Amino acid sequence: MSVLTGKHLIDGQWCAQSCESFSAYAPQMDEFISPQFHSAGAAEVNLAVQAAERGFEVIRQLSDHRRSELLTNIAQQLEYIRTPLVARCVRETGLPTGRVNGEIDRTKKQLLHFASLLMEGNWRRACSASSDVTSHPDLQLSSVPLGPVVVFSASNFPLAFSVAGGDTASALAAGCSVIVKAHPAHPGTSEMVADCILSALKHLDIPPCVFSLLQSKDHEAGVALVTNPAVKAAGFTGSIQGGRALFDIVSQRPEPIPFFGELGSTNPVFVFDSTFANGVDAFAQAFLSSMTQGAGQFCTSPGILVLQKSEHLDTLLTSLAAAIPSQAKQTMLTPHICSAYRRATKQRQSRSELNTLAVGRVAENAQSQAHIALFSVSAQDYLSNPELEHEVFGPSTLIVICQDFAEQLEVAKSLREHLASSVFSGPDTEDRQQIAQLVDALSLKVGRLVFNGFATGVEISPAMQHGGPYPSSTIAAITSVGSRAIERFMRPVCFQSMPVDYLPVVLTSATADQ
Amino acid sequence: MSVLTGKHLIDGQWCAQSCESFSAYAPQMDEFISPQFHSAGAAEVNLAVQAAERGFEVIRQLSDHRRSELLTNIAQQLEYIRTPLVARCVRETGLPTGRVNGEIDRTKKQLLHFASLLMEGNWRRACSASSDVTSHPDLQLSSVPLGPVVVFSASNFPLAFSVAGGDTASALAAGCSVIVKAHPAHPGTSEMVADCILSALKHLDIPPCVFSLLQSKDHEAGVALVTNPAVKAAGFTGSIQGGRALFDIVSQRPEPIPFFGELGSTNPVFVFDSTFANGVDAFAQAFLSSMTQGAGQFCTSPGILVLQKSEHLDTLLTSLAAAIPSQAKQTMLTPHICSAYRRATKQRQSRSELNTLAVGRVAENAQSQAHIALFSVSAQDYLSNPELEHEVFGPSTLIVICQDFAEQLEVAKSLREHLASSVFSGPDTEDRQQIAQLVDALSLKVGRLVFNGFATGVEISPAMQHGGPYPSSTIAAITSVGSRAIERFMRPVCFQSMPVDYLPVVLTSATADQ
């Protein structure tokens, strides 16, 4: 594809019916960029769902080997267009080139991770009880894909959590057809990646109804997709407000379906004073690097630091306040996100309970430029103002200053629920019992708990858990990163006394070619 | 306990505040029986939830060994009161003594199954990725219990899916405190079983706040329980109407929680003509036995039979019609269930598309006596009247007569979703390909697929799946029977680079005594 079409991809065709359109915005240049993108209406949604119904019958009957090939080939196609893809993505998102290149690497890694998983014979975690007790009937546990899946692209990971991101990769791996509702903040990037998927399907001679892409600037297409009876699951990464609205709509369907939403999280970091035994610099640097990663637009950004009063703390605060002005200025993903961030930090600056430690400077007329903002608050004021726990999406952190460990623990126990949390302490700490107590309290609040590290950066592993209690996720039992993400798009089926001849062939021959 | 108190069990005390009360009804005698039971109001709900919050802190910190002891002891306590328990349960439910004894056996088996599971070191299906790749951080996947759980007792399994049934056993095993909302159809049975749990807690010196029982004749207590912010999950077995109402309420909570509802299912049975190669008698007998089990009040009852036209079919229908009058008359659980059943079968008798093959006789004034009812319909009429797929709760089956296999397959593909389905065929069948096709189509519709057997009777096994797509379950990814039922009440937590000293002790020492 040399030129962007601005159209939807449905059943292998680039097409558009509705007259509504929109443009991508280049946040770094503060300008709209061509081409115009069509915004999907009811007609396109219906066509995409009809294609996905046919696509489900196709992909669910492909062998594991064939689906593995498909994922591998999509990763290859991404590599072929890396240069123009990075260029377009950088323009549309304002993210640095290095970050976008890294995200392509991660997207490929995710695709290849599921491609490998499919080649492991036991990936359906089949559990045969046939040998349990002789009086048992023969029971074979397997799993089947759910059906057509809708994936909502995220704004903050234009590749890794977007068109060919973790949701799409795991849904295709599970044997589901996919309709992606692209994020309007990076429509060109979305079209280019969708074209990679189309190329992979063509290359492997798989009918293209397996995958569709809809462009849309508003919420209607998304609502029409998740309320369509043929759609059997949805994956979403985004705001609490948007995710909850979709969750409510999905819950009210005559037949409710799983809605895997990853919404908001502040990822509190608890620091013991022993962390600073050799000075505050190493911690300060690691913290600044984590909080400013992606202009603070990571779902695992450290939005709250919880420390005890000490001399080290004073040094740390001075050091952080001094470092803020020299941080490179950062561009946020959209003017909308940036203005929401500015409103939130301005509001924090005006609160009497909060102490503004440092605020970076940006040009007032730069619509998408983010200023780093650091605030502090006493634990008591923090505890009596629960809204301070809410996520401020961007490079801002609130430092909660506790009188003692008891207050730190009280803050931990008061927390709402988060994706992740961290605990820092020094190597020769005398606080072992307190650390264990804190870890225990935090384990009830989060999906991942990191020791002496920040939560930004999420490994793709069988042991990863990226998902915590609501509102960090709508379904805490699942993960959206790592091998088990595939389980979201399947459900178990028990075959009782079923002769092997009659078992669906795709459930028995894990690595057989079709 | 020698005499029933008619009260609630909260934090180890039998207590009652509200003036509302109700009595149990003996369906076989058509009379109300003593004592009066108090109906829980807001005050009791709040007290029970407060106890469960304390109880959660207690039970989540008990070692696996202690929780295993608790489950084992509850099973023992049930055995101690078997004779009076059977007597009361038979009076309250109208179920035969043999069935109630069998249900006590099953309830004990479930408790002991989870007791054994807890003594297996790896039951949290921990997945350590520390050895994956050297560049990985060390990741340990474990799981934590969700918090206080509400269990709604079922009417149709007064023991196995009630106070100490599968939901309670798996929630306690997971480390959750439990509040049972007893079913008003068997309050005395519920009180006796709750007293067993209290005795076990006392015997093992575990604070009794871990378990509470609330009696209630209406919906208010249940609604108050599932909307309380401290409650973190609910288990429910019952009607589509009641379950959906609770699901909707739970979905609208500020913090939605998992609602594990097992609602309605008709469990269609597909029969190939080769099944009758040696005559119809064996099949007819097995079918009648399955459809009348528990007066047709099993969630896995075969409500639909799908067969092809043949001479054998004529013989089968004649044989079934002849057998119906000689079937023992059956008592349904409540007058309410029985009148709903009578309404539904009367309505079917009046429909012109349906042929009434046989209707058993009952005394008109016997309020809770069920008549067996068998209907047939052509596949075409069945397909154009989707409401014929709805569950008729009781001993009634609809026989769908197809012209050929194509029609049988069309019926299979038209199905809504069910807990289970069966396929029958003879040993030397020439229909192998058709059977495989049917099994494949049905695997997308059900949670369990049985070959040459009926779905009534659900093994307690790691490979069991008792749960299918909505409306058979509200969450199809889980099972309410078998080892994996415990996963409903836990969620995964990833510990990253966490020194083993700081891991919560209950997550590391699977079999250590406390």
Side-chain angles (χ1 to χ4, degrees):
Chain A
M1 175 184 293
S2 47
V3 181
L4 292 172
T5 69
K7 296 182 176 177
H8 319 288
L9 173 62
I10 300 174
D11 203 3
Q13 303 299 316
W14 294 98
C15 56
Q17 295 192 6
S18 73
C19 308
E20 295 274 322
S21 71
F22 67 102
S23 292
Y25 185 85
Q28 218 145 25
M29 312 299 292
D30 279 335
E31 63 183 22
F32 287 99
I33 50 177
S34 63
Q36 288 287 104
F37 285 85
H38 292 266
S39 202
E44 284 97 343
V45 167
N46 286 337
L47 287 174
V49 173
Q50 285 161 21
E53 285 190 87
R54 291 193 306 278
F56 177 59
E57 282 305 310
V58 169
I59 193 168
R60 79 174 185 88
Q61 301 195 49
L62 292 182
S63 67
D64 290 347
H65 179 72
R66 288 277 281 166
R67 297 202 310 295
S68 179
E69 280 184 329
L70 173 61
L71 298 173
T72 305
N73 197 275
I74 295 170
Q76 279 166 2
Q77 302 287 343
L78 287 174
E79 195 55 54
Y80 296 154
I81 61 156
R82 184 185 280 263
T83 308
L85 181 60
V86 169
R88 176 77 195 187
C89 188
V90 165
R91 283 186 79 196
E92 288 187 331
T93 63
L95 293 171
T97 305
R99 155 73 194 277
V100 173
N101 263 306
E103 220 183 295
I104 292 179
D105 294 340
R106 185 186 176 88
T107 307
K108 287 175 60 186
K109 198 174 164 186
Q110 290 173 164
L111 289 159
L112 297 174
H113 182 84
F114 288 109
S116 303
L117 183 70
L118 290 181
M119 299 313 289
E120 292 172 13
N122 63 346
W123 68 275
R124 286 179 201 269
R125 62 178 182 120
C127 170
S128 166
S130 49
S131 57
D132 261 19
V133 170
T134 47
S135 66
H136 272 195
D138 172 76
L139 301 176
Q140 314 255 6
L141 191 66
S142 190
S143 59
V144 294
L146 294 183
V149 167
V150 170
V151 170
F152 289 83
S153 281
S155 63
N156 60 340
F157 284 86
L159 295 156
F161 284 82
S162 284
V163 179
D167 287 353
T168 299
S170 52
L172 293 175
C176 294
S177 54
V178 172
I179 303 169
V180 169
K181 200 290 229 168
H183 199 286
H186 52 265
T189 306
S190 300
E191 178 174 330
M192 292 171 83
V193 175
D195 196 51
C196 286
I197 299 177
L198 178 60
S199 299
L201 290 166
K202 282 181 178 167
H203 179 80
L204 295 166
D205 215 13
I206 299 171
C209 48
V210 160
F211 174 84
S212 293
L213 174 85
L214 297 180
Q215 300 278 8
S216 167
K217 65 169 178 177
D218 49 35
H219 303 310
E220 283 163 41
V223 171
L225 283 168
V226 298
T227 50
N228 190 301
V231 169
K232 297 302 182 191
F236 172 93
T237 306
S239 69
I240 293 185
Q241 199 189 354
R244 181 62 196 246
L246 285 169
F247 172 86
D248 288 343
I249 288 166
V250 164
S251 302
Q252 286 156 26
R253 283 171 52 125
E255 175 208 5
I257 55 173
F259 178 76
F260 302 107
E262 191 199 315
L263 313 184
S265 178
T266 323
N267 314 299
V269 176
F270 289 78
V271 187
F272 283 88
D273 207 50
S274 58
T275 307
F276 310 121
N278 297 318
V280 304
D281 291 351
F283 179 86
Q285 213 159 5
F287 165 67
L288 280 174
S289 155
S290 176
M291 84 170 277
T292 58
Q293 214 168 343
Q297 300 164 121
F298 271 38
C299 38
T300 48
S301 279
I304 296 175
L305 277 190
V306 188
L307 302 106
Q308 289 181 42
K309 259 195 175 153
S310 79
E311 276 176 39
H312 290 126
L313 173 61
D314 298 338
T315 316
L316 176 70
L317 297 187
T318 312
S319 159
L320 289 174
I324 299 284
S326 66
Q327 295 290 311
K329 67 179 182 185
Q330 295 193 296
T331 304
M332 297 196 80
L333 293 159
T334 68
H336 175 74
I337 289 175
C338 193
S339 66
Y341 175 72
R342 287 180 179 184
R343 258 199 317 279
T345 47
K346 205 164 268 176
Q347 207 238 329
R348 294 212 154 176
Q349 281 178 275
S350 71
R351 290 186 71 133
S352 60
E353 312 91 340
L354 300 189
N355 179 21
T356 303
L357 290 171
V359 177
R361 282 200 199 98
V362 289
E364 264 306 312
N365 60 352
Q367 278 201 56
S368 306
Q369 237 175 64
H371 52 277
I372 301 172
L374 211 58
F375 303 95
S376 72
V377 64
S378 75
Q380 285 313 314
D381 281 338
Y382 174 81
L383 288 166
S384 38
N385 293 282
E387 72 280 9
L388 289 176
E389 192 181 339
H390 293 176
E391 184 178 21
V392 172
F393 194 69
S396 177
T397 297
L398 177 62
I399 298 181
V400 181
I401 301 174
C402 304
Q403 294 295 331
D404 49 22
F405 174 70
E407 270 194 1
Q408 256 182 323
L409 191 61
E410 200 182 340
V411 169
K413 289 186 174 173
S414 82
L415 288 174
R416 294 205 306 170
E417 283 80 0
H418 298 274
L419 278 174
S421 183
S422 300
V423 175
F424 280 85
S425 93
D428 297 316
T429 180
E430 289 173 1
D431 312 323
R432 292 188 167 275
Q433 219 180 334
Q434 294 181 348
I435 296 171
Q437 235 178 311
L438 197 64
V439 167
D440 175 61
L442 290 172
S443 73
L444 299 178
K445 305 287 189 175
V446 304
R448 182 163 60 112
L449 202 37
V450 184
F451 186 69
N452 280 355
F454 292 94
T456 42
V458 185
E459 280 299 318
I460 304 157
S461 155
M464 180 43 66
Q465 175 61 25
H466 190 62
Y470 188 90
S472 67
S473 303
T474 51
I475 303 179
I478 58 86
T479 179
S480 62
V481 176
S483 321
R484 291 178 307 109
I486 198 174
E487 294 178 10
R488 295 176 297 170
F489 303 114
M490 308 190 301
R491 64 176 180 80
V493 177
C494 172
F495 294 91
Q496 180 170 330
S497 308
M498 187 67 67
V500 71
D501 288 0
Y502 301 147
L503 284 176
V505 68
V506 288
L507 306 185
T508 49
S509 56
T511 56
D513 203 338
Q514 206 197 12
Chain B
M1 170 184 296
S2 48
V3 181
L4 292 171
T5 68
K7 295 182 175 177
H8 318 289
L9 173 62
I10 302 174
D11 204 3
Q13 303 299 316
W14 294 98
C15 57
Q17 295 192 7
S18 72
C19 308
E20 295 275 323
S21 71
F22 66 104
S23 293
Y25 186 84
Q28 216 144 25
M29 312 299 294
D30 277 335
E31 64 184 20
F32 286 98
I33 50 177
S34 64
Q36 288 287 103
F37 285 86
H38 292 265
S39 201
E44 284 98 342
V45 167
N46 285 337
L47 287 173
V49 172
Q50 284 161 23
E53 285 190 87
R54 293 194 306 279
F56 176 58
E57 281 306 309
V58 169
I59 192 167
R60 80 175 184 89
Q61 300 195 49
L62 292 181
S63 66
D64 289 348
H65 179 71
R66 289 277 281 166
R67 297 202 310 295
S68 179
E69 281 184 329
L70 173 61
L71 297 172
T72 305
N73 197 276
I74 295 171
Q76 279 166 2
Q77 301 289 341
L78 287 174
E79 194 56 52
Y80 295 155
I81 64 158
R82 183 185 282 264
T83 308
L85 182 60
V86 169
R88 177 78 195 185
C89 188
V90 165
R91 281 187 79 197
E92 287 186 334
T93 62
L95 294 170
T97 304
R99 154 75 193 276
V100 173
N101 263 309
E103 220 182 296
I104 293 180
D105 294 339
R106 184 183 177 90
T107 308
K108 288 175 60 185
K109 197 172 165 189
Q110 289 174 164
L111 288 159
L112 297 174
H113 182 83
F114 288 109
S116 304
L117 182 71
L118 291 181
M119 299 312 290
E120 293 173 12
N122 64 347
W123 68 274
R124 286 179 201 270
R125 61 176 185 124
C127 168
S128 166
S130 49
S131 57
D132 260 19
V133 170
T134 47
S135 65
H136 272 196
D138 171 76
L139 301 175
Q140 314 255 6
L141 190 66
S142 190
S143 60
V144 294
L146 294 183
V149 167
V150 170
V151 170
F152 288 82
S153 282
S155 63
N156 59 341
F157 285 86
L159 295 154
F161 283 82
S162 283
V163 179
D167 287 353
T168 299
S170 53
L172 292 175
C176 295
S177 54
V178 172
I179 304 170
V180 169
K181 201 291 230 167
H183 198 285
H186 52 265
T189 306
S190 300
E191 180 174 329
M192 293 171 82
V193 175
D195 197 51
C196 287
I197 298 178
L198 178 60
S199 299
L201 289 166
K202 282 181 176 166
H203 179 80
L204 294 166
D205 215 14
I206 299 171
C209 49
V210 160
F211 174 84
S212 292
L213 175 85
L214 296 180
Q215 301 278 9
S216 167
K217 65 170 177 175
D218 49 35
H219 302 310
E220 285 163 39
V223 171
L225 283 168
V226 297
T227 50
N228 191 301
V231 169
K232 298 301 182 191
F236 172 93
T237 306
S239 69
I240 293 184
Q241 198 189 356
R244 181 63 196 244
L246 284 169
F247 172 85
D248 287 343
I249 289 165
V250 163
S251 302
Q252 286 156 27
R253 285 172 50 124
E255 175 207 3
I257 55 173
F259 178 77
F260 301 108
E262 191 200 315
L263 314 184
S265 179
T266 323
N267 314 300
V269 176
F270 290 78
V271 187
F272 283 87
D273 207 52
S274 57
T275 307
F276 309 123
N278 297 317
V280 303
D281 290 352
F283 179 85
Q285 211 159 5
F287 165 66
L288 280 175
S289 155
S290 176
M291 83 168 279
T292 58
Q293 212 168 346
Q297 299 164 118
F298 271 37
C299 39
T300 48
S301 279
I304 295 175
L305 278 191
V306 188
L307 303 105
Q308 289 181 41
K309 260 195 173 152
S310 77
E311 275 176 42
H312 290 127
L313 173 61
D314 297 338
T315 317
L316 175 71
L317 296 187
T318 312
S319 158
L320 289 173
I324 299 286
S326 66
Q327 294 291 309
K329 68 179 179 185
Q330 294 194 297
T331 304
M332 297 196 81
L333 293 159
T334 69
H336 175 74
I337 288 176
C338 193
S339 66
Y341 175 71
R342 288 181 179 182
R343 257 197 320 278
T345 47
K346 204 163 270 176
Q347 208 238 327
R348 293 210 156 177
Q349 281 178 276
S350 71
R351 289 186 71 134
S352 59
E353 312 90 341
L354 300 190
N355 178 23
T356 303
L357 289 171
V359 176
R361 284 203 197 93
V362 289
E364 264 307 312
N365 61 350
Q367 278 203 54
S368 308
Q369 238 174 66
H371 51 277
I372 301 172
L374 211 57
F375 303 95
S376 70
V377 64
S378 75
Q380 284 314 315
D381 281 338
Y382 175 82
L383 287 166
S384 38
N385 293 281
E387 71 280 8
L388 289 176
E389 192 180 342
H390 293 178
E391 185 178 20
V392 172
F393 194 68
S396 177
T397 296
L398 177 62
I399 298 180
V400 180
I401 301 174
C402 304
Q403 294 295 332
D404 49 24
F405 174 70
E407 269 194 0
Q408 256 182 323
L409 190 62
E410 198 182 342
V411 169
K413 289 186 174 173
S414 81
L415 289 175
R416 294 206 307 167
E417 283 79 1
H418 298 273
L419 279 174
S421 182
S422 301
V423 175
F424 280 84
S425 92
D428 298 315
T429 178
E430 289 172 2
D431 313 323
R432 293 188 168 274
Q433 218 180 335
Q434 295 183 347
I435 295 171
Q437 233 179 315
L438 196 64
V439 166
D440 176 62
L442 291 172
S443 73
L444 299 178
K445 304 288 188 174
V446 304
R448 182 164 58 111
L449 202 37
V450 184
F451 185 70
N452 280 356
F454 290 95
T456 42
V458 185
E459 280 300 318
I460 304 158
S461 154
M464 180 44 66
Q465 175 60 26
H466 191 62
Y470 187 91
S472 68
S473 303
T474 52
I475 304 179
I478 57 86
T479 178
S480 62
V481 176
S483 320
R484 292 177 307 109
I486 197 174
E487 294 178 10
R488 296 177 297 170
F489 303 115
M490 308 191 299
R491 64 175 179 83
V493 178
C494 171
F495 294 90
Q496 180 170 330
S497 308
M498 186 67 67
V500 70
D501 289 1
Y502 300 147
L503 284 176
V505 66
V506 288
L507 305 186
T508 49
S509 56
T511 55
D513 204 339
Q514 207 198 12

